[in-house]
Amino acid sequence: MLASLTALGWTFMLASILGVTALTFWCFKRVLFPPHDEPDLPGGLGP
Amino acid sequence: MTNQPTQQWGSRLGVILAVAGSAVGLGNFLRFPGNAAENGGGAFMIPYFLALLIVGIPIGWAEWAIGRYGGRKGFHSAPGILGIWCKGPIGRYAGVLGVLIPLGVYFYYVLIESWCLYYFWKYCTGGIGLEPTTDVASVQVPHTRGFFNEVVGAADNGALFQTMHPVLIAFVITVVCNVWFVYRGLSKGIETVCKYAMPVMAVLGIVILIRVLTLSAPAGTTGQSVVDGLGYLWNPNFEKLSNFKTWVAATGQIFFSLSVGFGVIINYASYMKKKDDVVLSGLTASATNEFFEVVLGGLITVTASVVFVGVLLTSQATGGSMSLGFKTLPMVFAQMPGGNFFGAAFFLILFLAAITSSLSMLQPSKAFFEEALGIDKVKSTTLVTVWGLIGNAFVLYYSKGLTALDTIDFWVGSVFIMVVAAVQIIAFGWIFGLERGIAEAHEGAQLRIPKFFQFVIKYVSPAYLIVIMIGFCLNNAPGYVDTLLGNVTTSPQLSVAAQRDLVAAFPAGSKLTYTWKQLGGSPVTLADASSAKPSFATKEPANAKNFEVPFELTVSDGTTTKTFTASAEVDVESPGSARRTWVFLLLTIAGLVAITAIGARRWKAEGRDLDGKLPAAD
């Protein structure tokens, strides 16, 4: 028998969808509007 | 060294969308929701997100850094780049798999892409001939299955050429598009396509999503609401978490969906500049893929399917990508108001998702041929086109039962991917050295890879990956090996109408007994004969031709007894097809190994740093 969406089902669905959407928007915001005052982190293997 | 001008991406967003476009494919919309529904619904998201954190994102970061560093050393192919990271010929020849995977998957993927284009065209010109009906199981199921079998030529080898099916026109158009955009190069070809295709897919996906979330089933059909459909997919079943198969399925979904270990990211990243940010780019490409998978894939297809065709047909379709997309959803569109429009929009999304992926499959081979053979882009494009067409023709011709396609998909598109990913993460964390690897990844990065992930990359990802790889092979490989050895295992099947009658005859949770009786043909011995799904083994005979074995099934709950007819289609021709496919794959591998050996000699003669002993240039 098919159960309608339960409270736990709502929780898992909304947490997954909102989490993924928020991460995607945050990433694109950082890509499209990079913070200007942030210098490159030190790193790299030299010349 | 070749005199080719070095290619570069036009913009940072371009490379992110190209990698995301490569990752977003049919599996996001069709495989993910079925996988989730079968493996615990909402609870599936626990191992799924865990796998994203400890396998998907870390190996992705490693692959981006590996590729960019290789590019700075003047290499753009997996054999060249992994030779540097693994410090010798073992990595170089393991890298052959990084060329084989995209090329081998292209052999069949472009066919699936042309099916999407053909379905899109059919929906633009009036649909696939389905009428709305209240008896979906008896009327629409045979029609959609028959239509699909004709499109793919499943009835016989060479069936598509015998009938000159119009899907061949869609195939030609698809191949021409792929070759043209790859020939145009990274910036003008692949990047341009992805820059337009990805937003179009997102917008169309959101339009369809809004439509699906406002659906209601027509009177007299399933009686299910959208909330029921969402419940089918998202209600958690925590018991499934104690089953190792759930963890394998979740990790496999993450793995194949993100395209890590596929040989594409390593090639794409090799065209980035030293100051380009691989950490944020890798995370953004992964997040974009997850958006398409969890948000659009997780809400659209299975939900609509449950509302219009019910749980039984939906659950039968969720074993793989094709059944849900090409057989079940057309029934949904037939029942839905404005179904042809939404059908066209849906198959356009699938086509765009597929072409952004297939473009990425040609580019690594093209780069490899230019680099190893020292040829220009016209010759490399010609070579990759011809090689691709030979593979396409092989899969197109050996279409019976889709055995050739399935064999390449399993070995090349699943098992080899895990091998390449394992080589990459071990090279990054252990051979090249974690500190050097992380320093390389941080070059030009706005984000620092957290210390936690550095531990994960070194210890957790390789261990987790190897455990899952063994689990995946133990779960899936025996059937494929058995087929190669000529042993065919078959289960009798009830028709969909009979299954519907069976479900209707007995209340949910009834304790049922099953009695199977063979009605004809050479006697077979059923294993697990008192279960709902028994099976029997057949050894491949000489001059094998498929045959059917009829059965009668009697089901009883102690008070009610019902009898149904069933049949088993024994596919004794599949072992021959699987072996032919392997011969073809081995020839392909031999060709790529030979080209790698030629390339290694050239690179050595040119004084290039084959084994990563010198520092990289800027």
Side-chain angles (χ1 to χ4, degrees):
Chain A
M1 186 62 187
L2 182 65
S4 193
L5 192 60
T6 61
L8 260 179
W10 275 108
T11 309
F12 273 97
M13 184 179 82
L14 290 177
S16 303
I17 287 167
L18 295 177
V20 164
T21 306
L23 176 65
T24 309
F25 275 87
W26 181 83
C27 286
F28 273 101
K29 182 173 165 276
R30 292 283 301 225
V31 170
L32 296 173
F33 310 104
H36 294 294
D37 54 348
E38 194 173 330
D40 285 345
L41 292 164
L45 300 174
Chain B
M1 204 182 278
T2 62
N3 294 321
Q4 296 292 306
T6 306
Q7 293 200 71
Q8 279 189 344
W9 294 102
S11 67
R12 180 186 191 184
L13 185 62
V15 63
I16 290 169
L17 291 180
V19 172
S22 162
V24 174
L26 272 59
N28 295 64
F29 299 98
L30 303 177
R31 191 170 179 272
F32 165 75
N35 229 339
E38 275 180 11
N39 292 290
F44 177 80
M45 302 313 288
I46 296 171
Y48 176 83
F49 282 124
L50 191 67
L52 176 68
L53 279 179
I54 65 177
V55 178
I57 291 174
I59 300 181
W61 275 332
E63 196 166 339
W64 280 79
I66 287 171
R68 187 184 58 176
Y69 182 74
R72 287 164 55 204
K73 301 276 270 183
F75 289 105
H76 301 287
S77 66
I81 295 170
L82 287 178
I84 296 170
W85 279 78
C86 295
K87 298 182 178 172
I90 292 177
R92 192 154 51 248
Y93 287 98
V96 168
L97 291 180
V99 181
L100 172 73
I101 292 166
L103 185 63
V105 172
Y106 176 85
F107 289 162
Y108 68 84
Y109 201 84
V110 79
L111 270 56
I112 301 175
E113 197 173 318
S114 58
W115 303 344
C116 297
L117 183 61
Y118 183 68
Y119 271 71
F120 166 68
W121 173 248
K122 292 298 283 184
Y123 276 105
C124 287
T125 55
I128 66 165
L130 279 178
E131 296 296 330
T133 174
T134 51
D135 192 1
V136 172
S138 304
V139 179
Q140 293 190 340
V141 168
H143 183 96
T144 51
R145 289 185 181 176
F147 185 85
F148 178 73
N149 285 343
E150 273 182 27
V151 170
V152 305
D156 208 353
N157 289 333
L160 292 174
F161 297 103
Q162 285 159 16
T163 58
M164 289 311 285
H165 195 282
V167 75
L168 291 174
I169 298 171
F171 167 72
V172 171
I173 294 170
T174 307
V175 169
V176 169
C177 287
N178 274 285
V179 171
W180 171 246
F181 288 120
V182 169
Y183 172 76
R184 298 256 301 161
L186 283 179
S187 181
K188 288 183 184 164
I190 296 171
E191 187 174 338
T192 304
V193 172
C194 291
K195 267 186 170 174
Y196 287 103
M198 294 298 285
V200 168
M201 278 162 60
V203 170
L204 279 177
I206 289 166
V207 168
I208 294 180
L209 176 61
I210 292 168
R211 182 69 193 99
V212 166
L213 294 181
T214 53
L215 283 174
S216 57
T221 57
T222 64
Q224 311 290 358
S225 69
V226 167
V227 179
D228 293 326
L230 292 172
Y232 173 76
L233 179 58
W234 288 97
N235 284 345
N237 175 2
F238 293 105
E239 280 175 21
K240 290 273 186 182
L241 293 183
S242 60
N243 189 340
F244 183 61
K245 277 188 177 178
T246 302
W247 293 79
V248 173
T251 311
Q253 179 63 39
I254 277 293
F255 207 76
F256 305 131
S257 173
L258 289 177
S259 289
V260 287
F262 201 85
V264 170
I265 295 174
I266 197 170
N267 169 255
Y268 276 11
S270 73
Y271 299 104
M272 295 177 82
K273 294 178 219 130
K274 185 182 176 185
K275 289 290 175 189
D276 286 339
D277 184 343
V278 293
V279 180
L280 182 59
S281 299
L283 188 63
T284 308
S286 300
T288 308
N289 179 68
E290 289 308 300
F291 177 81
F292 277 93
E293 182 153 294
V294 177
V295 179
L296 300 181
L299 294 179
I300 293 176
T301 44
V302 165
T303 311
S305 183
V306 169
V307 171
F308 282 103
V309 301
V311 172
L312 179 63
L313 281 172
T314 305
S315 64
Q316 284 185 340
T318 51
S321 299
M322 290 181 207
S323 199
L324 181 64
F326 294 102
K327 296 178 194 168
T328 307
L329 288 178
M331 296 189 270
V332 171
F333 299 129
Q335 311 282 84
M336 182 190 277
N340 282 348
F341 170 78
F342 288 104
F346 181 75
F347 283 104
L348 179 60
I349 291 180
L350 290 191
F351 176 72
L352 292 174
I355 196 168
T356 52
S357 299
S358 63
L359 286 176
S360 73
M361 294 168 196
L362 288 178
Q363 175 61 29
S365 310
K366 178 172 169 264
F368 172 63
F369 295 146
E370 287 173 13
E371 195 165 282
L373 301 174
I375 55 180
D376 62 22
K377 80 168 190 177
V378 176
K379 286 180 184 151
S380 64
T381 307
T382 307
L383 185 53
V384 81
T385 304
V386 171
W387 205 323
L389 276 174
I390 292 170
N392 299 151
F394 181 89
V395 183
L396 265 177
Y397 183 80
Y398 290 108
S399 56
K400 186 165 189 175
L402 297 178
T403 306
L405 187 156
D406 192 39
T407 303
I408 301 176
D409 180 42
F410 177 72
W411 293 107
V412 178
S414 304
V415 176
F416 289 174
I417 287 180
M418 292 191 180
V419 174
V420 172
V423 169
Q424 287 179 163
I425 198 71
I426 290 168
F428 187 91
W430 293 87
I431 301 173
F432 193 78
L434 183 68
E435 282 186 13
R436 289 181 72 203
I438 292 290
E440 170 59 27
H442 280 163
E443 186 73 53
Q446 288 176 26
L447 294 177
R448 180 175 285 272
I449 297 175
K451 283 273 182 207
F452 161 74
F453 276 111
Q454 298 180 21
F455 175 79
V456 167
I457 287 171
K458 176 105 179 174
Y459 299 104
V460 184
S461 300
Y464 194 85
L465 184 57
I466 288 167
V467 169
I468 292 295
M469 185 159 52
I470 292 169
F472 181 84
C473 289
L474 286 178
N475 278 346
N476 300 290
Y480 285 90
V481 174
D482 249 9
T483 303
L484 281 172
L485 297 175
N487 301 315
V488 180
T489 303
T490 315
S491 291
Q493 304 281 339
L494 293 174
S495 69
V496 173
Q499 288 178 47
R500 182 197 55 193
D501 294 346
L502 194 156
V503 170
F506 300 98
S510 305
K511 198 173 168 72
L512 302 177
T513 58
Y514 300 89
T515 311
W516 293 87
K517 184 177 160 195
Q518 187 180 347
L519 298 178
S522 305
V524 298
T525 308
L526 285 177
D528 220 1
S530 56
S531 72
K533 202 173 181 188
S535 61
F536 59 93
T538 314
K539 187 77 184 167
E540 178 191 16
N543 302 319
K545 280 281 169 210
N546 289 358
F547 57 92
E548 245 183 59
V549 182
F551 285 92
E552 183 185 85
L553 168 65
T554 305
V555 186
S556 173
D557 64 354
T559 51
T560 310
T561 301
K562 289 262 177 192
T563 303
F564 306 90
T565 54
S567 70
E569 165 85 25
V570 186
D571 185 7
V572 284
E573 292 175 55
S574 57
S577 298
R579 282 194 293 270
R580 270 192 295 272
T581 308
W582 256 108
V583 170
F584 181 72
L585 281 177
L586 288 173
L587 288 172
T588 306
I589 293 169
L592 295 175
V593 167
I595 293 174
T596 303
I598 294 168
R601 260 210 306 271
R602 281 176 49 82
W603 301 331
K604 203 167 183 180
E606 288 166 357
R608 295 172 74 177
D609 178 26
L610 285 189
D611 301 328
K613 290 175 182 145
L614 304 171
D618 283 351

